[in-house]
mmCIF file of all heavy atoms in Angstrom:
data_model
loop_
_atom_site.group_PDB
_atom_site.id
_atom_site.type_symbol
_atom_site.label_atom_id
_atom_site.label_comp_id
_atom_site.label_asym_id
_atom_site.label_seq_id
_atom_site.Cartn_x
_atom_site.Cartn_y
_atom_site.Cartn_z
ATOM 1 N N GLY K 187 89.050 93.900 113.346
ATOM 2 C CA GLY K 187 89.863 92.736 113.648
ATOM 3 C C GLY K 187 91.161 93.134 114.305
ATOM 4 O O GLY K 187 91.369 94.300 114.653
ATOM 5 N N SER K 188 92.026 92.160 114.470
ATOM 6 C CA SER K 188 93.343 92.373 115.065
ATOM 7 C C SER K 188 94.414 92.258 113.997
ATOM 8 O O SER K 188 94.481 91.255 113.288
ATOM 9 C CB SER K 188 93.600 91.354 116.173
ATOM 10 O OG SER K 188 92.674 91.505 117.228
ATOM 11 N N VAL K 189 95.226 93.293 113.887
ATOM 12 C CA VAL K 189 96.291 93.326 112.897
ATOM 13 C C VAL K 189 97.555 93.873 113.531
ATOM 14 O O VAL K 189 97.536 94.413 114.640
ATOM 15 C CB VAL K 189 95.923 94.187 111.669
ATOM 16 C CG1 VAL K 189 94.697 93.624 110.961
ATOM 17 C CG2 VAL K 189 95.682 95.635 112.091
ATOM 18 N N GLN K 190 98.643 93.742 112.814
ATOM 19 C CA GLN K 190 99.903 94.317 113.251
ATOM 20 C C GLN K 190 100.105 95.679 112.609
ATOM 21 O O GLN K 190 99.517 95.991 111.575
ATOM 22 C CB GLN K 190 101.066 93.391 112.910
ATOM 23 C CG GLN K 190 101.050 92.082 113.672
ATOM 24 C CD GLN K 190 102.289 91.250 113.434
ATOM 25 O OE1 GLN K 190 103.021 91.474 112.467
ATOM 26 N NE2 GLN K 190 102.541 90.305 114.309
ATOM 27 N N ALA K 191 100.925 96.486 113.232
ATOM 28 C CA ALA K 191 101.218 97.817 112.709
ATOM 29 C C ALA K 191 101.684 97.742 111.266
ATOM 30 O O ALA K 191 102.472 96.865 110.899
ATOM 31 C CB ALA K 191 102.271 98.497 113.575
ATOM 32 N N GLY K 192 101.172 98.665 110.456
ATOM 33 C CA GLY K 192 101.519 98.715 109.052
ATOM 34 C C GLY K 192 100.532 98.012 108.145
ATOM 35 O O GLY K 192 100.554 98.230 106.926
ATOM 36 N N GLU K 193 99.674 97.187 108.705
ATOM 37 C CA GLU K 193 98.688 96.467 107.907
ATOM 38 C C GLU K 193 97.444 97.317 107.680
ATOM 39 O O GLU K 193 97.347 98.444 108.167
ATOM 40 C CB GLU K 193 98.335 95.144 108.575
ATOM 41 C CG GLU K 193 99.514 94.190 108.654
ATOM 42 C CD GLU K 193 99.170 92.855 109.284
ATOM 43 O OE1 GLU K 193 98.141 92.761 109.977
ATOM 44 O OE2 GLU K 193 99.932 91.895 109.078
ATOM 45 N N SER K 194 96.500 96.771 106.929
ATOM 46 C CA SER K 194 95.312 97.513 106.537
ATOM 47 C C SER K 194 94.041 96.775 106.902
ATOM 48 O O SER K 194 94.022 95.544 107.023
ATOM 49 C CB SER K 194 95.317 97.767 105.021
ATOM 50 O OG SER K 194 96.432 98.528 104.618
ATOM 51 N N LEU K 195 92.979 97.537 107.069
ATOM 52 C CA LEU K 195 91.643 97.004 107.270
ATOM 53 C C LEU K 195 90.656 97.879 106.519
ATOM 54 O O LEU K 195 90.911 99.065 106.314
ATOM 55 C CB LEU K 195 91.259 96.989 108.746
ATOM 56 C CG LEU K 195 91.874 95.928 109.657
ATOM 57 C CD1 LEU K 195 91.509 96.231 111.105
ATOM 58 C CD2 LEU K 195 91.392 94.540 109.272
ATOM 59 N N ARG K 196 89.538 97.289 106.129
ATOM 60 C CA ARG K 196 88.452 98.058 105.548
ATOM 61 C C ARG K 196 87.187 97.810 106.338
ATOM 62 O O ARG K 196 86.720 96.668 106.431
ATOM 63 C CB ARG K 196 88.222 97.706 104.082
ATOM 64 C CG ARG K 196 87.209 98.646 103.413
ATOM 65 C CD ARG K 196 86.975 98.336 101.956
ATOM 66 N NE ARG K 196 86.201 97.122 101.772
ATOM 67 C CZ ARG K 196 85.560 96.813 100.650
ATOM 68 N NH1 ARG K 196 85.619 97.643 99.605
ATOM 69 N NH2 ARG K 196 84.899 95.676 100.564
ATOM 70 N N LEU K 197 86.649 98.864 106.900
ATOM 71 C CA LEU K 197 85.409 98.783 107.647
ATOM 72 C C LEU K 197 84.232 99.088 106.733
ATOM 73 O O LEU K 197 84.336 99.923 105.841
ATOM 74 C CB LEU K 197 85.407 99.770 108.813
ATOM 75 C CG LEU K 197 86.584 99.697 109.786
ATOM 76 C CD1 LEU K 197 86.371 100.695 110.925
ATOM 77 C CD2 LEU K 197 86.769 98.288 110.317
ATOM 78 N N SER K 198 83.121 98.415 106.980
ATOM 79 C CA SER K 198 81.906 98.637 106.214
ATOM 80 C C SER K 198 80.769 98.991 107.155
ATOM 81 O O SER K 198 80.700 98.487 108.275
ATOM 82 C CB SER K 198 81.523 97.390 105.415
ATOM 83 O OG SER K 198 82.528 97.035 104.497
ATOM 84 N N CYS K 199 79.889 99.843 106.691
ATOM 85 C CA CYS K 199 78.709 100.227 107.452
ATOM 86 C C CYS K 199 77.516 100.198 106.510
ATOM 87 O O CYS K 199 77.449 100.998 105.568
ATOM 88 C CB CYS K 199 78.886 101.621 108.046
ATOM 89 S SG CYS K 199 77.422 102.283 108.868
ATOM 90 N N VAL K 200 76.597 99.286 106.765
ATOM 91 C CA VAL K 200 75.407 99.153 105.939
ATOM 92 C C VAL K 200 74.243 99.849 106.629
ATOM 93 O O VAL K 200 73.933 99.563 107.784
ATOM 94 C CB VAL K 200 75.058 97.680 105.682
ATOM 95 C CG1 VAL K 200 73.814 97.580 104.809
ATOM 96 C CG2 VAL K 200 76.225 96.969 105.010
ATOM 97 N N SER K 201 73.610 100.743 105.911
ATOM 98 C CA SER K 201 72.490 101.507 106.436
ATOM 99 C C SER K 201 71.166 100.871 106.039
ATOM 100 O O SER K 201 71.028 100.343 104.934
ATOM 101 C CB SER K 201 72.540 102.944 105.924
ATOM 102 O OG SER K 201 71.356 103.653 106.240
ATOM 103 N N SER K 202 70.190 100.962 106.931
ATOM 104 C CA SER K 202 68.860 100.446 106.636
ATOM 105 C C SER K 202 68.078 101.371 105.709
ATOM 106 O O SER K 202 67.033 100.975 105.193
ATOM 107 C CB SER K 202 68.068 100.232 107.928
ATOM 108 O OG SER K 202 67.843 101.457 108.599
ATOM 109 N N LYS K 203 68.569 102.573 105.508
ATOM 110 C CA LYS K 203 67.934 103.528 104.623
ATOM 111 C C LYS K 203 68.874 103.910 103.492
ATOM 112 O O LYS K 203 70.091 103.780 103.613
ATOM 113 C CB LYS K 203 67.501 104.777 105.387
ATOM 114 C CG LYS K 203 66.371 104.551 106.368
ATOM 115 C CD LYS K 203 65.853 105.866 106.928
ATOM 116 C CE LYS K 203 64.670 105.628 107.851
ATOM 117 N NZ LYS K 203 64.129 106.911 108.382
ATOM 118 N N ASN K 204 68.288 104.405 102.424
ATOM 119 C CA ASN K 204 69.057 104.831 101.270
ATOM 120 C C ASN K 204 69.993 105.968 101.662
ATOM 121 O O ASN K 204 69.539 107.030 102.078
ATOM 122 C CB ASN K 204 68.114 105.273 100.155
ATOM 123 C CG ASN K 204 68.805 105.472 98.825
ATOM 124 O OD1 ASN K 204 69.992 105.767 98.763
ATOM 125 N ND2 ASN K 204 68.063 105.306 97.751
ATOM 126 N N ILE K 205 71.285 105.766 101.524
ATOM 127 C CA ILE K 205 72.232 106.782 101.963
ATOM 128 C C ILE K 205 72.300 107.970 101.015
ATOM 129 O O ILE K 205 72.916 108.981 101.355
ATOM 130 C CB ILE K 205 73.641 106.195 102.181
ATOM 131 C CG1 ILE K 205 74.212 105.655 100.862
ATOM 132 C CG2 ILE K 205 73.606 105.108 103.244
ATOM 133 C CD1 ILE K 205 75.665 105.233 100.973
ATOM 134 N N PHE K 206 71.676 107.866 99.875
ATOM 135 C CA PHE K 206 71.613 109.007 98.964
ATOM 136 C C PHE K 206 70.906 110.184 99.626
ATOM 137 O O PHE K 206 71.197 111.342 99.319
ATOM 138 C CB PHE K 206 70.900 108.611 97.675
ATOM 139 C CG PHE K 206 70.810 109.720 96.664
ATOM 140 C CD1 PHE K 206 71.895 110.042 95.865
ATOM 141 C CD2 PHE K 206 69.638 110.446 96.511
ATOM 142 C CE1 PHE K 206 71.824 111.064 94.931
ATOM 143 C CE2 PHE K 206 69.546 111.467 95.577
ATOM 144 C CZ PHE K 206 70.643 111.777 94.788
ATOM 145 N N ARG K 207 69.998 109.878 100.540
ATOM 146 C CA ARG K 207 69.202 110.913 101.209
ATOM 147 C C ARG K 207 69.833 111.373 102.523
ATOM 148 O O ARG K 207 69.317 112.302 103.153
ATOM 149 C CB ARG K 207 67.799 110.389 101.493
ATOM 150 C CG ARG K 207 67.046 109.906 100.265
ATOM 151 C CD ARG K 207 65.699 109.312 100.655
ATOM 152 N NE ARG K 207 64.986 108.779 99.510
ATOM 153 C CZ ARG K 207 64.184 109.470 98.733
ATOM 154 N NH1 ARG K 207 63.982 110.755 98.976
ATOM 155 N NH2 ARG K 207 63.576 108.895 97.705
ATOM 156 N N ILE K 208 70.916 110.766 102.934
ATOM 157 C CA ILE K 208 71.515 111.039 104.229
ATOM 158 C C ILE K 208 72.366 112.302 104.193
ATOM 159 O O ILE K 208 73.177 112.490 103.284
ATOM 160 C CB ILE K 208 72.355 109.841 104.693
ATOM 161 C CG1 ILE K 208 71.463 108.611 104.884
ATOM 162 C CG2 ILE K 208 73.107 110.166 105.971
ATOM 163 C CD1 ILE K 208 70.437 108.773 105.984
ATOM 164 N N TYR K 209 72.187 113.160 105.194
ATOM 165 C CA TYR K 209 72.948 114.399 105.277
ATOM 166 C C TYR K 209 74.416 114.138 105.614
ATOM 167 O O TYR K 209 75.313 114.718 105.001
ATOM 168 C CB TYR K 209 72.327 115.320 106.331
ATOM 169 C CG TYR K 209 73.162 116.545 106.628
ATOM 170 C CD1 TYR K 209 73.224 117.599 105.722
ATOM 171 C CD2 TYR K 209 73.886 116.640 107.812
ATOM 172 C CE1 TYR K 209 73.985 118.715 105.988
ATOM 173 C CE2 TYR K 209 74.649 117.754 108.081
ATOM 174 C CZ TYR K 209 74.697 118.791 107.170
ATOM 175 O OH TYR K 209 75.463 119.906 107.435
ATOM 176 N N PHE K 210 74.654 113.274 106.599
ATOM 177 C CA PHE K 210 76.014 113.005 107.044
ATOM 178 C C PHE K 210 76.204 111.525 107.366
ATOM 179 O O PHE K 210 75.334 110.904 107.974
ATOM 180 C CB PHE K 210 76.339 113.815 108.299
ATOM 181 C CG PHE K 210 77.667 113.468 108.909
ATOM 182 C CD1 PHE K 210 78.831 114.086 108.476
ATOM 183 C CD2 PHE K 210 77.758 112.522 109.924
ATOM 184 C CE1 PHE K 210 80.056 113.768 109.027
ATOM 185 C CE2 PHE K 210 78.978 112.195 110.486
ATOM 186 C CZ PHE K 210 80.134 112.821 110.030
ATOM 187 N N MET K 211 77.328 110.999 106.956
ATOM 188 C CA MET K 211 77.772 109.690 107.391
ATOM 189 C C MET K 211 79.245 109.783 107.737
ATOM 190 O O MET K 211 80.008 110.446 107.037
ATOM 191 C CB MET K 211 77.559 108.616 106.323
ATOM 192 C CG MET K 211 76.107 108.288 106.058
ATOM 193 S SD MET K 211 75.877 106.737 105.134
ATOM 194 C CE MET K 211 76.221 105.523 106.426
ATOM 195 N N GLY K 212 79.611 109.133 108.810
ATOM 196 C CA GLY K 212 80.993 109.201 109.221
ATOM 197 C C GLY K 212 81.389 108.057 110.129
ATOM 198 O O GLY K 212 80.580 107.196 110.473
ATOM 199 N N TRP K 213 82.645 108.085 110.482
ATOM 200 C CA TRP K 213 83.215 107.087 111.376
ATOM 201 C C TRP K 213 83.842 107.764 112.579
ATOM 202 O O TRP K 213 84.610 108.717 112.432
ATOM 203 C CB TRP K 213 84.276 106.252 110.660
ATOM 204 C CG TRP K 213 83.719 105.331 109.630
ATOM 205 C CD1 TRP K 213 83.542 105.576 108.309
ATOM 206 C CD2 TRP K 213 83.273 103.990 109.851
ATOM 207 N NE1 TRP K 213 83.010 104.485 107.680
ATOM 208 C CE2 TRP K 213 82.836 103.496 108.605
ATOM 209 C CE3 TRP K 213 83.193 103.162 110.974
ATOM 210 C CZ2 TRP K 213 82.330 102.203 108.458
ATOM 211 C CZ3 TRP K 213 82.693 101.885 110.824
ATOM 212 C CH2 TRP K 213 82.268 101.417 109.576
ATOM 213 N N TYR K 214 83.505 107.270 113.746
ATOM 214 C CA TYR K 214 84.111 107.688 114.998
ATOM 215 C C TYR K 214 84.856 106.509 115.597
ATOM 216 O O TYR K 214 84.607 105.357 115.238
ATOM 217 C CB TYR K 214 83.053 108.153 116.000
ATOM 218 C CG TYR K 214 82.401 109.481 115.679
ATOM 219 C CD1 TYR K 214 81.489 109.608 114.644
ATOM 220 C CD2 TYR K 214 82.678 110.611 116.449
ATOM 221 C CE1 TYR K 214 80.881 110.818 114.363
ATOM 222 C CE2 TYR K 214 82.069 111.825 116.184
ATOM 223 C CZ TYR K 214 81.170 111.919 115.138
ATOM 224 O OH TYR K 214 80.565 113.134 114.881
ATOM 225 N N ARG K 215 85.755 106.805 116.516
ATOM 226 C CA ARG K 215 86.404 105.728 117.246
ATOM 227 C C ARG K 215 86.565 106.125 118.705
ATOM 228 O O ARG K 215 86.627 107.309 119.044
ATOM 229 C CB ARG K 215 87.763 105.378 116.642
ATOM 230 C CG ARG K 215 88.842 106.436 116.838
ATOM 231 C CD ARG K 215 90.106 106.040 116.099
ATOM 232 N NE ARG K 215 91.143 107.050 116.224
ATOM 233 C CZ ARG K 215 92.247 107.085 115.485
ATOM 234 N NH1 ARG K 215 92.451 106.143 114.565
ATOM 235 N NH2 ARG K 215 93.141 108.044 115.669
ATOM 236 N N GLN K 216 86.636 105.125 119.545
ATOM 237 C CA GLN K 216 86.846 105.339 120.967
ATOM 238 C C GLN K 216 87.909 104.370 121.450
ATOM 239 O O GLN K 216 87.699 103.158 121.460
ATOM 240 C CB GLN K 216 85.549 105.155 121.748
ATOM 241 C CG GLN K 216 85.655 105.532 123.204
ATOM 242 C CD GLN K 216 84.299 105.667 123.866
ATOM 243 O OE1 GLN K 216 83.306 105.140 123.375
ATOM 244 N NE2 GLN K 216 84.263 106.376 124.972
ATOM 245 N N ALA K 217 89.035 104.920 121.835
ATOM 246 C CA ALA K 217 90.123 104.121 122.371
ATOM 247 C C ALA K 217 89.865 103.840 123.847
ATOM 248 O O ALA K 217 89.119 104.575 124.505
ATOM 249 C CB ALA K 217 91.452 104.845 122.194
#
């Protein structure tokens, strides 16, 4: 979303597979 400096956001990522079995999960960004 759109926020002002100093505010907070929480991103969520839901996987179609059980993440217990996943080797790596992470977040990337592209400006």
Side-chain angles (χ1 to χ4, degrees):
S188 297
V189 299
Q190 294 186 342
E193 296 182 341
S194 299
L195 285 172
R196 188 179 73 161
L197 306 183
S198 299
C199 174
V200 180
S201 171
S202 64
K203 292 189 177 181
N204 191 333
I205 63 172
F206 181 79
R207 303 176 183 273
I208 297 296
Y209 172 74
F210 173 87
M211 291 195 75
W213 290 92
Y214 288 73
R215 70 185 178 193
Q216 187 166 20

